[in-house]
Amino acid sequence: MEPIYLRIFKDIETKILSGDWRPGARIPKEHDLVNDYGCSRMTVSKALTALVERGLVVRKRKTGSFVASPQIDRTVMDIQDIGTEATLAGYEHRYEILTRKIETLGPVEAAQLHGTTGAEILRIQCLHIVDGKPTAIERRIILLDTVPLARNESFATVPPAKWLLSQVPWSRAKHVIRAVSADATTARILQIERGEPCLSLIRQTWQNDRMVTYVEITHPGDRFQFAGVFHPAEKRASRR
Amino acid sequence: MEPIYLRIFKDIETKILSGDWRPGARIPKEHDLVNDYGCSRMTVSKALTALVERGLVVRKRKTGSFVASPQIDRTVMDIQDIGTEATLAGYEHRYEILTRKIETLGPVEAAQLHGTTGAEILRIQCLHIVDGKPTAIERRIILLDTVPLARNESFATVPPAKWLLSQVPWSRAKHVIRAVSADATTARILQIERGEPCLSLIRQTWQNDRMVTYVEITHPGDRFQFAGVFHPAEKRASRR
DNA sequence: TAGTGGTCTAGACCACGGG
DNA sequence: CCGTGGTCTAGACCACTAT
């Protein structure tokens, strides 16, 4: 027999992960959940505590409990949004859209991303400039089937990463970090020498087994690093 | 007034982090803690649940609760022990000690590591070979003040990372990941061209504000990457 | 002030697993 | 078997904060 608190936990988790309950939405008050499930308030509380710990829920006295805002990377390392990060670190940040076009996914890429050949995608390239220096190239694919609203979004004012966070309620992500050589194009855009080492972060994101986005962010090796302080189970990380 | 469960949590946490209770040690049974703190069993249980969640404690029915084994990186990414990882991935792994000598920490390095000039250290260089190919150079400093037993350890059979995990009960760690160019020495040892991109992981570890070790692990960019799948708050990560 | 979550109790029954 | 943790109750009082 499955524990009641786990059933409550899973029910709410499902509602949130599926996007049924959007970030900021109100979660039934504890008293109501007690009635719904016919259990004691401690049991409800245990489920909600676990949801808070999982980062899906925030609780506020007097006002109630709410669906938290998605923070895919909080568990790993905070590379979610170069702009926000740079600002926090006290640097000026801006970005330019280099290209933006709608295509269909070719067979090679489809295989590489475990996606579907022919799926309609939005392909974007951005250059991020921090403190006046080119700091990252962002090469991104957004699956228009999963995020149809992207079709009409120019990304002129809101960076793709930030915009996506507001559109897709909660996600699963895969990260790969590599060291690569700058190819000719990359070198020119980042204003470095060809062959210089670059730090490459690839992130692929899904919601409910539907791919949301695939992005490769390439940083000059000498202008970027990932850093984090951790004591076990305190998950904050930062980058410089 | 601090909640009782938090007080219990902190008391036990302190005992474990300080090394007072070693990994595997028995934690007082819930009934005893109920008596010690004069509270109900639910309150004790709440504290223990939080300790499990933090990774400091494991609980077993009938047998009791115990101090967990330290797993510094479980919260971040599993790069703790190249040998174990390689074996898990199905590759053959061996390593060679290149140098091993006792020195004192010079002023430059001391400043860099926020350590004390003149502190006695053990300096080790290892080469890790996975699947027959040089895969990582490990350049490590161990503070002999903090880990005196290292003085007599040859590391001929047990890699430094693994040995340290067994010696230092629990730690705080800082990680930095960078892309760097292979210098002449590194290139020769890793059998790559000079200037080729390498992935560098630096990890500095403390126990109770005393530095334990500082290590830089340098991988050829084309033979190594960090990868992880995460859905928020499920912290498993792996590397290939 | 009133509504909400935060904590706590003093029991209870059950599930698991070592002897 | 029986000791241990796993879960649960039906209340209770308190702390915080929006109104």
Side-chain angles (χ1 to χ4, degrees), chain B residues 120-139:
Chain B
E120 215 176 9
I121 57 165
L122 178 62
R123 190 185 296 273
I124 302 175
Q125 287 200 41
C126 303
L127 175 63
H128 293 265
I129 296 152
V130 176
D131 204 21
K133 293 189 281 276
T135 301
I137 300 180
E138 173 178 342
R139 296 183 175 93

Side-chain angles (χ1 to χ4, degrees), chain A residues 6 24 35 43 46 57 62-63 69 98 126-127 129-130 142 145 172 177 183 186 209 212 218 222 225 235-236:
Chain A
L6 243 186
N35 285 339
T43 304
K46 186 167 185 176
V57 164
K62 164 69 182 171
T63 37
S69 297
L98 302 178
C126 302
L127 175 63
I129 296 151
V130 175
I142 298 174
D145 280 353
R172 180 170 61 89
I177 297 170
D183 60 31
T186 302
D209 297 323
V212 172
T218 308
D222 62 345
Q225 62 187 22
K235 301 169 238 165
R236 276 317 285 174

Side-chain angles (χ1 to χ4, degrees), chain A residues 105-203:
Chain A
L105 200 56
V108 176
E109 266 188 326
Q112 196 180 334
L113 313 187
H114 301 98
T116 313
T117 304
E120 215 176 10
I121 57 166
L122 178 62
R123 190 185 297 273
I124 302 174
Q125 286 199 41
C126 302
L127 175 63
H128 293 266
I129 296 151
V130 175
D131 204 21
K133 292 188 283 275
T135 301
I137 300 179
E138 173 178 344
R139 296 183 176 94
R140 184 182 290 273
I141 289 170
I142 298 174
L143 277 284
L144 288 174
D145 280 353
T146 312
V147 197
L149 279 174
R151 189 186 300 270
N152 303 314
E153 175 59 47
S154 72
F155 302 107
T157 54
V158 186
K162 201 168 192 170
W163 185 85
L164 278 167
L165 276 177
S166 71
Q167 292 298 316
V168 182
W170 284 95
S171 300
R172 180 170 61 89
K174 178 184 176 184
H175 296 84
V176 173
I177 297 170
R178 299 180 304 158
V180 297
S181 288
D183 60 31
T185 311
T186 302
R188 180 174 48 74
I189 296 172
L190 290 178
Q191 298 171 20
I192 58 179
E193 295 299 314
R194 194 177 152 179
E196 272 194 47
C198 292
L199 199 56
S200 158
L201 168 71
I202 293 172
R203 180 190 301 150

Side-chain angles (χ1 to χ4, degrees), chain B residues 13-33:
Chain B
E13 182 189 40
T14 302
K15 287 264 203 309
I16 296 176
L17 290 181
S18 69
D20 202 353
W21 291 356
R22 311 280 312 192
R26 202 198 169 84
I27 286 172
K29 56 191 73 165
E30 299 191 0
H31 179 70
D32 292 346
L33 290 170

